[in-house]
Amino acid sequence: NILSRYEVIDQLFDYMMLQLEQGSSWLKFARHYIGLFKGQSGARLWRQFISESRNINNTNLHLNLNKITDYLKKLETMQTT
Protein backbone atom coordinates (compact mmCIF):
# COMPACT_ATOMS: atom_id res chain seq x y z
CA ASN A 1 0.00 0.00 0.00
CA ILE A 2 1.63 3.22 -1.18
CA LEU A 3 0.77 6.34 0.77
CA SER A 4 0.08 9.67 -0.90
CA ARG A 5 2.19 12.68 0.03
CA TYR A 6 -0.71 13.96 2.11
CA GLU A 7 -1.06 10.70 4.03
CA VAL A 8 2.67 10.81 4.79
CA ILE A 9 2.30 14.39 6.02
CA ASP A 10 -0.60 13.45 8.30
CA GLN A 11 1.18 10.47 9.79
CA LEU A 12 4.51 12.22 10.22
CA PHE A 13 2.79 15.26 11.74
CA ASP A 14 1.15 13.22 14.52
CA TYR A 15 4.46 11.54 15.33
CA MET A 16 6.31 14.85 15.11
CA MET A 17 3.97 16.54 17.59
CA LEU A 18 4.58 13.79 20.15
CA GLN A 19 8.33 14.07 19.69
CA LEU A 20 8.38 17.88 19.84
CA GLU A 21 6.47 17.77 23.12
CA GLN A 22 9.25 15.55 24.45
CA GLY A 23 11.93 18.03 23.38
CA SER A 24 13.00 16.82 19.94
CA SER A 25 14.30 19.32 17.42
CA TRP A 26 12.14 20.61 14.55
CA LEU A 27 15.10 20.08 12.22
CA LYS A 28 14.93 16.34 12.85
CA PHE A 29 11.58 16.35 11.03
CA ALA A 30 12.01 19.21 8.58
CA ARG A 31 14.60 17.30 6.58
CA HIS A 32 12.07 14.53 5.95
CA TYR A 33 9.31 16.93 5.00
CA ILE A 34 11.34 19.19 2.72
CA GLY A 35 11.57 16.90 -0.32
CA LEU A 36 8.00 15.58 -0.38
CA PHE A 37 7.00 17.80 -3.30
CA LYS A 38 10.26 17.79 -5.23
CA GLY A 39 9.55 18.36 -8.92
CA GLN A 40 5.88 19.16 -8.29
CA SER A 41 3.99 22.41 -8.71
CA GLY A 42 4.13 24.28 -5.44
CA ALA A 43 7.39 22.65 -4.33
CA ARG A 44 9.07 25.99 -3.68
CA LEU A 45 6.14 27.20 -1.60
CA TRP A 46 6.26 23.94 0.37
CA ARG A 47 10.01 24.29 1.06
CA GLN A 48 9.50 27.89 2.19
CA PHE A 49 6.70 26.82 4.50
CA ILE A 50 8.85 24.11 6.07
CA SER A 51 11.80 26.46 6.45
CA GLU A 52 9.71 29.15 8.12
CA SER A 53 7.71 26.78 10.37
CA ARG A 54 10.38 26.21 12.97
CA ASN A 55 9.20 29.24 15.00
CA ILE A 56 5.44 28.56 14.85
CA ASN A 57 3.62 27.11 17.84
CA ASN A 58 2.01 23.69 17.43
CA THR A 59 -1.57 24.89 16.97
CA ASN A 60 -0.66 27.39 14.26
CA LEU A 61 1.66 24.87 12.64
CA HIS A 62 -1.23 22.43 12.25
CA LEU A 63 -3.55 25.13 10.86
CA ASN A 64 -0.93 26.37 8.42
CA LEU A 65 -0.08 22.82 7.38
CA ASN A 66 -3.73 22.21 6.55
CA LYS A 67 -3.90 25.43 4.51
CA ILE A 68 -0.81 24.69 2.47
CA THR A 69 -1.74 21.07 1.78
CA ASP A 70 -5.20 22.18 0.65
CA TYR A 71 -3.56 24.66 -1.72
CA LEU A 72 -1.16 22.02 -3.09
CA LYS A 73 -4.06 19.60 -3.64
CA LYS A 74 -5.84 22.30 -5.66
CA LEU A 75 -2.72 22.81 -7.77
CA GLU A 76 -2.58 19.06 -8.48
CA THR A 77 -6.25 19.02 -9.44
CA MET A 78 -5.83 21.98 -11.78
CA GLN A 79 -2.93 20.27 -13.54
CA THR A 80 -4.77 16.99 -14.09
CA THR A 81 -7.86 18.61 -15.62
Side-chain angles (χ1 to χ4, degrees):
N1 187 17
I2 299 174
L3 299 176
S4 73
R5 287 178 179 89
Y6 306 104
E7 291 169 326
V8 170
I9 291 167
D10 288 341
Q11 290 184 12
L12 186 57
F13 185 83
D14 293 339
Y15 175 71
M16 181 185 68
M17 287 294 104
L18 291 172
Q19 294 300 309
L20 290 176
E21 289 172 6
Q22 296 175 5
S24 289
S25 168
W26 164 250
L27 295 175
K28 177 180 176 182
F29 299 96
R31 66 188 182 99
H32 296 291
Y33 269 120
I34 205 91
L36 274 174
F37 289 90
K38 184 176 182 177
Q40 305 296 311
S41 292
R44 182 177 182 199
L45 179 65
W46 174 252
R47 289 190 308 272
Q48 289 172 338
F49 168 74
I50 296 302
S51 297
E52 295 169 4
S53 294
R54 65 189 316 181
N55 298 319
I56 298 176
N57 69 42
N58 294 351
T59 303
N60 287 337
L61 180 61
H62 194 254
L63 292 172
N64 290 345
L65 184 65
N66 287 338
K67 287 179 188 176
I68 193 141
T69 54
D70 287 346
Y71 175 75
L72 292 170
K73 285 178 187 177
K74 287 179 188 175
L75 279 179
E76 277 184 15
T77 304
M78 289 179 1
Q79 287 184 338
T80 58
T81 56

